[in-house]
Amino acid sequence: MSEQHFDVIVIGAGPAGYVAAIRAAQLGLKTACVDAFVGKDGKQALGGTCLNVGCIPSKALLDSSKQYYNIAHNLPVHGITVEGAKVDLGTFIGRKDKIVKQFTGGIGQLFKANKVTPFFGKGKLLKGNEVEITGNDGSKQTISATNVILASGSVPIELPFAKFDNKFIVDNAGALDFTEVPKRLGVIGAGVIGLELGSVWKRLGSDVTVLEALPDFLSVADADIAKIAAKEFAKMGLNIKLGAKLTKAEVKGNEVALTYEDKDGAHDLVVDKLLVAVGRRAYTDGLLAADTGVKLDERGRIVVDEHNHTGVDGVWAIGDAVRGPMLAHKGSEEGVAVAEWIAGKAGHINLDTVPWVIYTEPEIAWAGKTEKQLKDEGIPYKVGTFPFAAIGRAVAMNEAIGQVKMLAHAETDRILGVHMVGPGVSELIAECVVAMEFKGSSEDLARIVHAHPTLSEAVHEAALSVDKRAIHKGN
């Protein structure tokens, strides 16, 4: 028997794990959280990929780069001219690091306030709900719990012919810490990470080429929304090549020589830095002893039921390591739900209403089914749309780009999906998620008063448009 026994041990302190630990402790359960992430200062940095090298630092850089981009591209229309603007990259990156440090320290304070015991090291589940912790110095200790929550997260997928060297060929973490703006940046993958980080460096002056192997742009999103977004990215200067499969990447001197193939054959491309962002995989390496009974699927994810239970008594799994979208907020809600199930309460997580957001310019957000999915599933539906070009607030902001698209059941009017591209849609999608979670109809949103002038009026008008009664556009 281990020296220390807990009610709950969480392996992983990312958005899924640390939230699960805090909620479990709030419910009166003696809780520990094990994590091995090391910050720039060599110390334990809670928060996982999202906080340290993902969601938070990327948004900090996106905001900083947007401020710089606005000086030349958006302020002149307001009658504001700024001469000689330049970027101090040290301050640019330093601001991001300061924000990360603030929030990792904040989680530590939350652990103290809620009496969560942190352990620094790599956790491994042993048979009988024991957890072996291996420190960075190789030391080992074992603790045990009645319940163990596996929240080990995910890692970038590495291409065998374009391995990360953290200098010329980088993953998302490396692209957050360039010491100078690359003159030519290659990005493999036009997904969330590729588009967001590609946008950061493009705004700062880099010549960015994005190679996407799939023939359709942003196929996970609604086709109409993806089409608008692609047009705006092209205006910004992002060179996105679709159906372009990377076949070779070789560092030569201070450059990376690429070969890719598309419908027209093979092509060469030379860049100064290469960001490989072709997706992420569940990080379960070394997580499980062979005799735990916990199963992995063909993609290396931990197999769980609808309550995130692994089938092994007292062992649960959440976040990127299990099925469902690899999104921080999805993992957090699973963490809350599992902690509440353990405590005998009614936990809840609905994967059908998890919102997606891409924080580019313009932003892209959606929840629920796309029009293609409804067609493929034979579900009858109605469509309502409304452009931001007809929204007074968007025009006043000089950001009158994009639209809101709402899909409702043709017979019941229940909202089945909402898709947006435009200013502030990362915030606007929340209203639609609430309506969908409560099984609301498009008429429900159509009958709710929305403040004027606000961006939210686009949601209101899209809901009206479902039944062809939008006020500020032709039906």
Side-chain angles (χ1 to χ4, degrees):
M1 177 65 69
S2 62
E3 294 181 4
Q4 298 187 68
H5 184 80
F6 295 85
D7 296 316
V8 176
I9 297 173
V10 183
I11 300 180
Y18 86 74
V19 169
I22 290 172
R23 184 62 184 133
Q26 287 176 344
L27 292 166
L29 301 169
K30 184 181 178 183
T31 305
C33 188
V34 182
D35 193 82
F37 203 101
V38 180
K40 281 189 170 182
D41 59 3
K43 299 178 181 179
Q44 183 177 32
L46 302 171
T49 292
C50 176
L51 181 46
N52 285 281
V53 292
C55 320
I56 301 305
S58 65
K59 303 312 164 286
L61 295 190
L62 278 162
D63 190 74
S64 293
S65 64
K66 181 180 178 180
Q67 305 301 329
Y68 178 71
Y69 186 83
N70 282 345
I71 290 173
H73 298 274
N74 291 332
L75 291 187
V77 75
H78 295 280
I80 302 170
T81 302
V82 178
E83 300 291 342
K86 61 181 181 179
V87 174
D88 180 328
L89 205 58
T91 303
F92 183 86
I93 299 297
R95 173 180 176 270
K96 177 262 297 180
D97 290 341
K98 183 178 179 181
I99 291 170
V100 168
K101 187 73 173 176
Q102 174 185 338
F103 279 94
T104 57
I107 295 174
Q109 292 301 313
L110 288 170
F111 274 11
K112 286 183 180 179
N114 288 282
K115 297 181 173 57
V116 174
T117 303
F119 287 88
F120 190 12
K122 182 174 175 57
K124 180 177 185 178
L125 178 66
L126 307 179
K127 186 178 181 180
N129 294 4
E130 290 193 331
V131 174
E132 179 185 78
I133 304 169
T134 303
N136 290 341
D137 60 358
S139 62
K140 294 181 184 293
Q141 63 176 311
T142 302
I143 58 178
S144 64
T146 306
N147 291 275
V148 177
I149 303 175
L150 305 173
S152 52
S154 62
V155 291
I157 293 173
E158 188 173 44
L159 297 175
F161 48 86
K163 290 188 175 296
F164 303 127
D165 62 13
N166 297 318
K167 185 176 181 182
F168 296 102
I169 302 177
V170 302
D171 59 8
N172 58 289
L176 293 168
D177 277 330
F178 289 151
T179 55
E180 61 183 9
V181 178
K183 291 182 179 179
R184 301 161 298 179
L185 173 65
V187 179
I188 309 304
V192 177
I193 295 171
L195 291 173
E196 289 186 353
L197 292 179
S199 294
V200 167
W201 297 106
K202 175 59 186 175
R203 291 172 187 167
L204 298 187
S206 185
D207 181 6
V208 180
T209 301
V210 183
L211 303 181
E212 171 55 58
L214 295 176
D216 299 317
F217 176 69
L218 210 57
S219 58
V220 68
D222 186 88
D224 289 337
I225 298 302
K227 184 177 180 180
I228 294 170
K231 184 178 179 180
E232 294 304 320
F233 294 150
K235 285 182 184 177
M236 192 176 85
L238 279 181
N239 183 13
I240 302 174
K241 298 181 181 296
L242 300 175
K245 185 177 180 181
L246 182 70
T247 57
K248 185 178 181 181
E250 185 178 0
V251 177
K252 294 183 177 180
N254 292 321
E255 301 176 330
V256 187
L258 310 178
T259 301
Y260 68 93
E261 295 179 354
D262 61 16
K263 58 183 177 59
D264 298 320
H267 307 270
D268 295 324
L269 176 68
V270 177
V271 296
D272 299 293
K273 301 284 186 182
L274 179 66
L275 164 61
V276 178
V278 295
R280 299 179 67 83
R281 64 175 179 83
Y283 179 55
T284 52
D285 302 355
L287 177 66
L288 306 168
D291 57 355
T292 62
V294 176
K295 295 181 174 59
L296 303 180
D297 67 13
E298 68 283 354
R299 294 170 59 181
R301 300 175 302 186
I302 301 166
V303 177
V304 293
D305 62 15
E306 68 274 16
H307 293 107
N308 289 79
H309 194 260
T310 65
V312 175
D313 189 33
V315 180
W316 315 71
I318 58 177
D320 285 4
V322 303
R323 80 286 180 267
M326 288 184 170
L327 299 171
H329 43 282
K330 172 262 195 182
S332 294
E333 291 308 313
E334 285 180 328
V336 170
V338 166
E340 293 179 347
W341 283 321
I342 289 172
K345 297 184 177 296
H348 170 82
I349 177 69
N350 181 6
L351 298 181
D352 292 332
T353 56
V354 174
W356 292 69
V357 180
I358 303 177
Y359 297 86
T360 45
E361 194 69 27
E363 293 183 341
I364 306 166
W366 70 91
K369 303 279 190 181
T370 65
E371 188 168 357
K372 183 179 185 302
Q373 287 172 326
L374 294 177
K375 286 180 179 178
D376 291 346
E377 294 173 24
I379 299 173
Y381 65 91
K382 303 177 289 184
V383 182
T385 62
F386 198 81
F388 281 103
I391 296 296
R393 180 71 185 278
V395 174
M397 293 166 57
N398 195 40
E399 295 185 43
I401 296 168
Q403 69 171 14
V404 175
K405 177 178 180 179
M406 189 171 295
L407 303 166
H409 197 285
E411 298 164 3
T412 67
D413 195 38
R414 180 176 173 180
I415 301 171
L416 302 174
V418 185
H419 308 269
M420 313 173 176
V421 56
V425 298
S426 59
E427 303 294 341
L428 297 183
I429 195 65
E431 173 186 12
C432 303
V433 172
V434 170
M436 292 170 67
E437 187 66 27
F438 283 93
K439 299 178 172 56
S441 66
S442 70
E443 186 174 358
D444 288 328
L445 286 181
R447 289 186 178 277
I448 294 173
V449 178
H450 288 68
H452 173 79
T454 62
L455 298 175
S456 70
E457 290 177 281
V459 175
H460 186 219
E461 292 272 8
L464 288 164
S465 174
V466 169
D467 285 320
K468 301 194 184 327
R469 55 194 181 104
I471 300 300
H472 294 94
K473 75 161 193 171
N475 293 293

